[in-house]
Amino acid sequence: MSTRHFLTLLDMTPAELQSLIERAIELKQIRNSGQLYEPLKNRVLAMIFEKASTRTRVSFEAGMAQFGGHAMFLSPRDTQLGRGEPIEDSARVISSMVDVVMIRTFSHEIVETFAAYSRVPVINALTDDYHPCQLLADMQTFYELRGAIKGKTVAWVGDGNNMCNSYINAARQFDFKLNVACPEDFAPNAELVAREADRVQLYSSPEEAVAGAHLVCTDVWASMGQESEQRKREREFRGYQVNPALMDLAAADALFMHCLPAHRGEEISEDMMDDPRCVAFQQAENRLHAQKALLEFLLTGSH
Ligand code: CP
Ligand code: NVA
């Protein structure tokens, strides 16, 4: 069988994604019960980070340790990747020594090229275009709290960024309706929106997008790599803040998610993280369990 990669949610079938989420919930129970479970003994994960991270690094590294394996942190500052060694050569070399590779970088093409030259599975841990690992955790969290998301309405408020693009893929794979409210110049990938036109609808008003939604999501206004646009974006996104008053327009049992890190006073109000509808910390913890399910699937082919 050819090597499986996880570069976007479309690399898995809907059935595989659902079974990953159910497995993540089982792995969470195994860990919470204190039981040792080490299916990846002696296996090594290489983690290439060209951008900063707290959750992604800690969850992958802790997950590999809990599974009896090892994770290796590689930054461009300390490897030849940062001195211009071609991705193709790096992929051949690194994948000849480890069992799985995780990459957080800028251009999505970098992970695609790496995967094309890798002999082991490659996981996209965030590019400028997609953040599929976060969606595994988000979908797990919704499933734990509210059951199947199929047929529900999700509202995305703010930047049409990598997270928003991944929500569009999720709308297809998990079969939900996605309302996206963003300023005109910050809409998500137009091809993706057109491809999923029967599920995804763009709005300029957050109030309209959120009306009746079962899940409301947002993310920072300036992503990593866009720091110089911070001021301009603060002006452009004014009016796109998620706060308890906006949440009151959603369904009575609506949840609020944020992949974190959050900027209080910008995309969320000061009090939004403490609102009972906010599940951002459960979402963050689920990165650990969901990615352990992903690693187990990619490396052992089970579940
Ligand atoms: N949500 C997320 O990916 O967080 P980090 O940038 O801290 O990894
Ligand atoms: N959109 C954000 C997500 C961070 C987890 C970024 O790319 O910086």
Side-chain angles (χ1 to χ4, degrees):
M1 207 185 84
S2 62
T3 304
R4 295 285 300 266
H5 302 295
F6 187 61
L7 307 188
T8 75
L9 288 177
L10 305 189
D11 287 328
M12 301 276 172
T13 65
E16 284 171 340
L17 289 169
Q18 182 59 31
S19 88
L20 277 183
I21 282 164
E22 286 168 22
R23 182 61 181 158
I25 293 170
E26 283 172 13
L27 290 169
K28 188 173 184 174
Q29 282 156 359
I30 290 173
R31 175 163 156 73
N32 288 345
S33 70
Q35 209 181 313
L36 264 192
Y37 176 62
E38 300 185 321
L40 300 186
K41 254 203 160 100
N42 301 318
R43 304 288 193 102
V44 179
L45 165 71
M47 306 189 296
I48 300 170
F49 279 100
E50 299 203 287
K51 287 176 177 173
S53 166
T54 296
R55 278 144 290 269
T56 304
R57 178 173 178 185
V58 174
S59 54
F60 270 111
E61 196 161 336
M64 280 306 285
Q66 289 160 16
F67 268 173
H70 180 77
M72 179 193 294
F73 176 78
L74 301 170
S75 93
R77 221 172 332 167
D78 316 306
T79 61
Q80 302 290 2
L81 273 166
R83 296 181 60 250
E85 183 167 11
I87 303 296
E88 293 86 340
D89 295 355
S90 306
R92 284 185 192 177
V93 172
I94 295 169
S95 73
S96 72
M97 300 180 194
V98 304
D99 301 282
V100 54
V101 179
M102 183 235 83
I103 308 176
R104 168 168 286 197
T105 187
F106 293 87
S107 155
H108 191 72
E109 272 177 24
I110 294 176
V111 294
E112 289 178 334
T113 305
F114 199 107
Y117 286 84
S118 171
R119 63 156 92 149
V120 300
V122 174
I123 297 170
N124 173 8
L126 182 145
T127 62
D128 290 344
D129 294 341
Y130 297 100
H131 195 7
C133 290
Q134 182 67 51
L135 263 290
L136 293 181
D138 292 15
M139 293 297 101
Q140 180 191 340
T141 307
F142 191 90
Y143 191 68
E144 285 173 333
L145 295 166
R146 297 285 184 267
I149 199 164
K150 182 180 166 82
K152 304 273 186 196
T153 299
V154 177
W156 177 271
V157 178
D159 193 14
N161 62 14
N162 44 10
M163 277 297 300
C164 182
N165 289 337
S166 282
Y167 262 95
I168 295 175
N169 278 343
R172 172 191 178 124
Q173 298 293 66
F174 291 89
D175 198 11
F176 58 78
K177 187 168 174 281
L178 180 67
N179 296 340
V180 177
C182 53
E184 210 178 313
D185 292 344
F186 298 90
N189 182 302
E191 267 175 48
L192 278 187
V193 174
R195 195 191 65 202
E196 304 305 333
D198 53 337
R199 287 193 185 79
V200 178
Q201 180 139 14
L202 298 188
Y203 294 84
S204 53
S205 142
E207 288 77 12
E208 276 180 56
V210 162
H214 305 98
L215 170 63
V216 177
C217 309
T218 192
D219 187 14
V220 290
W221 289 341
S223 284
M224 290 182 276
Q226 299 171 334
E227 288 77 5
S228 64
E229 298 174 24
Q230 175 67 30
R231 286 272 159 76
K232 175 177 170 278
R233 283 170 171 267
E234 278 175 32
R235 284 194 301 273
E236 302 271 357
F237 284 95
R238 200 165 293 146
Y240 287 83
Q241 184 185 80
V242 179
N243 51 44
L246 185 71
M247 287 299 298
D248 289 344
L249 304 176
D253 65 345
L255 298 174
F256 168 70
M257 292 193 193
H258 191 310
C259 65
L260 304 179
H263 292 194
R264 291 168 177 80
E266 293 179 31
E267 78 278 3
I268 56 162
S269 57
E270 294 289 342
D271 52 357
M272 195 58 231
M273 291 291 274
D274 302 313
D275 188 282
R277 291 165 289 194
C278 174
V279 294
F281 292 109
Q282 181 168 335
Q283 219 187 321
E285 181 193 323
N286 282 342
R287 292 291 303 278
L288 172 69
H289 312 298
Q291 289 157 196
K292 282 170 77 176
L294 175 67
L295 289 164
E296 183 186 45
F297 175 84
L298 291 173
L299 290 178
T300 71
S302 67
H303 299 290

